[in-house]
Amino acid sequence: MISIDLNADLGEGTGHDDDLLGIVSSASIACGGHAGDAPTIRHILKVCQARGVRAGAHPGYVDPKRFGRFRLVMPLDKLLGQIREQLFLVRFIADEVGYPLSYVKLHGALANQTAEELAFAVGIFATIQGMAPSMAALALDNSQQVRAARAVGMPLIREAYADRAYTADGLLVPRSQEGAVIHDVDAVIARCLRLAKAGELVAIDGTVMQSAARSICLHGDTPGAVDLAREVRDALEGDGITIAANAPEMPKD
C-alpha cells in the first residue's frame, strides 16, 4: 500500500485554515516570525487535536511585512534567538493544549537558505535539536536540509512541493522567476501522483529527479488553495494512495 503525507503551512492569515485542516494530514503552524500569534496557534492546535492532524512548528525570519521571504543579514546568535523565541511560544501553547508538536519546518527565505548552505543549516538544526530532541525536521528532500538534519541527529521527514517549480539541482525556483509557482491544477495533480507512485519530480528544464519525499506541501496562501488541496487529495485517494502522516526516518547510530 502506498501512503503519502499532505502538509500545509497554516496560521498565516489566509482565513481558511479550518478548511485545509479537513484535508491535510500535517499542519505546519506559523509561530510569530513571518506570521502567526498565540490565539491563532492555540486554535489550530485544538483543531489538529480534534481531527488527528499531525502538528509542527513553522518558524522563519522575523519579518512579517515581507512575510519572511527575504534573507536578512544579522549575527547568527540573534537569528538563533529569534528561532528559539518562536519555538518557545508554540511549544508553550502546545503544552497548554495538551497536543505535542511532532516536527519543525523552516519557512520562506530561511528554508531556502538552509536548503543551499550546509554549515548554516547545521547551526539552525543543532539549535532546534538541542531544544527539542524528539522533534523531526520536515526538510526539502535532496537539499542541504536533509544532510544537516542527519548530521545533528534529528528524525527526518522528506518533503516535496506540489505547486513549486524545481531547478535541476533539486532546489526551488526563486519566486521572482517566471514559472516558479505552478497554477495549473492538472499539472499539480500529475506531479503529486508521479511523486507518490514513482518517486520522481520533473525540474523546470525537464530534468527528471529521483525523490524519496513522503510528504507533499500544499501552500495555504495561494489563490484557490482549498479547492486545489481537495482535488489533490481526491486524485491521490482515487488512485489508491492513502493520505497519512508517515513516521519519520530515525537517526542512525
Side-chain angles (χ1 to χ4, degrees):
M1 179 183 294
I2 300 174
S3 66
I4 198 87
D5 176 45
L6 296 179
N7 77 78
D9 305 337
L10 303 180
E12 298 178 330
T14 62
H16 45 241
D17 289 341
D18 286 17
D19 292 329
L20 285 168
L21 284 167
I23 300 169
V24 301
S25 44
S26 293
S28 307
I29 306 170
C31 38
H34 68 288
D37 55 26
T40 301
I41 294 167
R42 185 174 293 105
H43 173 75
I44 294 171
L45 281 167
K46 287 181 176 179
V47 178
C48 286
Q49 184 177 46
R51 298 182 181 178
V53 175
R54 178 169 62 184
H58 193 38
Y61 281 118
V62 178
D63 187 18
K65 290 184 178 180
R66 296 186 294 181
F67 201 65
R69 286 184 172 156
F70 291 82
R71 297 186 187 187
L72 303 182
V73 178
M74 67 179 75
L76 182 58
D77 60 347
K78 180 178 179 180
L79 173 59
L80 296 178
Q82 291 182 353
I83 294 170
R84 288 190 190 97
E85 287 178 2
Q86 292 174 68
L87 293 180
F88 278 132
L89 173 64
V90 70
R91 290 179 69 204
F92 176 84
I93 297 171
D95 288 344
E96 182 182 73
V97 171
Y99 196 62
L101 297 167
S102 298
Y103 67 89
V104 175
K105 174 185 173 179
L106 302 177
H107 168 78
L110 183 61
N112 292 335
Q113 193 168 353
T114 52
E116 297 170 15
E117 302 175 19
L118 180 57
F120 183 71
V122 167
I124 301 296
F125 283 142
T127 295
I128 294 169
Q129 200 270 346
M131 290 183 64
S134 64
M135 289 177 70
L138 182 58
L140 180 66
D141 194 30
N142 295 321
S143 78
Q144 302 292 8
Q145 288 185 356
V146 170
R147 298 175 183 89
R150 287 208 169 282
V152 304
M154 290 184 75
L156 175 65
I157 305 165
R158 299 172 187 262
E159 179 186 38
Y161 285 76
D163 60 353
R164 288 294 309 276
Y166 280 80
T167 64
D169 57 0
L171 300 176
L172 299 181
V173 172
R175 285 179 177 268
S176 58
Q177 184 175 327
E178 185 176 354
V181 180
I182 302 168
H183 297 285
D184 182 82
V185 175
D186 291 338
V188 172
I189 289 172
R191 165 180 281 206
C192 292
L193 288 169
R194 184 168 183 171
L195 174 68
K197 296 169 71 175
E200 293 179 343
L201 290 166
V202 181
I204 197 167
D205 67 353
T207 300
V208 177
M209 303 176 293
Q210 297 298 310
S211 175
R214 303 314 297 166
S215 184
I216 298 174
C217 177
L218 299 168
H219 277 108
D221 62 338
T222 54
V226 175
D227 290 339
L228 175 60
R230 187 174 291 112
E231 291 195 50
V232 167
R233 177 160 185 152
D234 288 348
L236 289 166
E237 291 183 323
D239 217 332
I241 298 164
T242 301
I243 306 304
N246 298 308
E249 300 172 31
M250 300 308 292
K252 298 177 181 179
D253 295 332

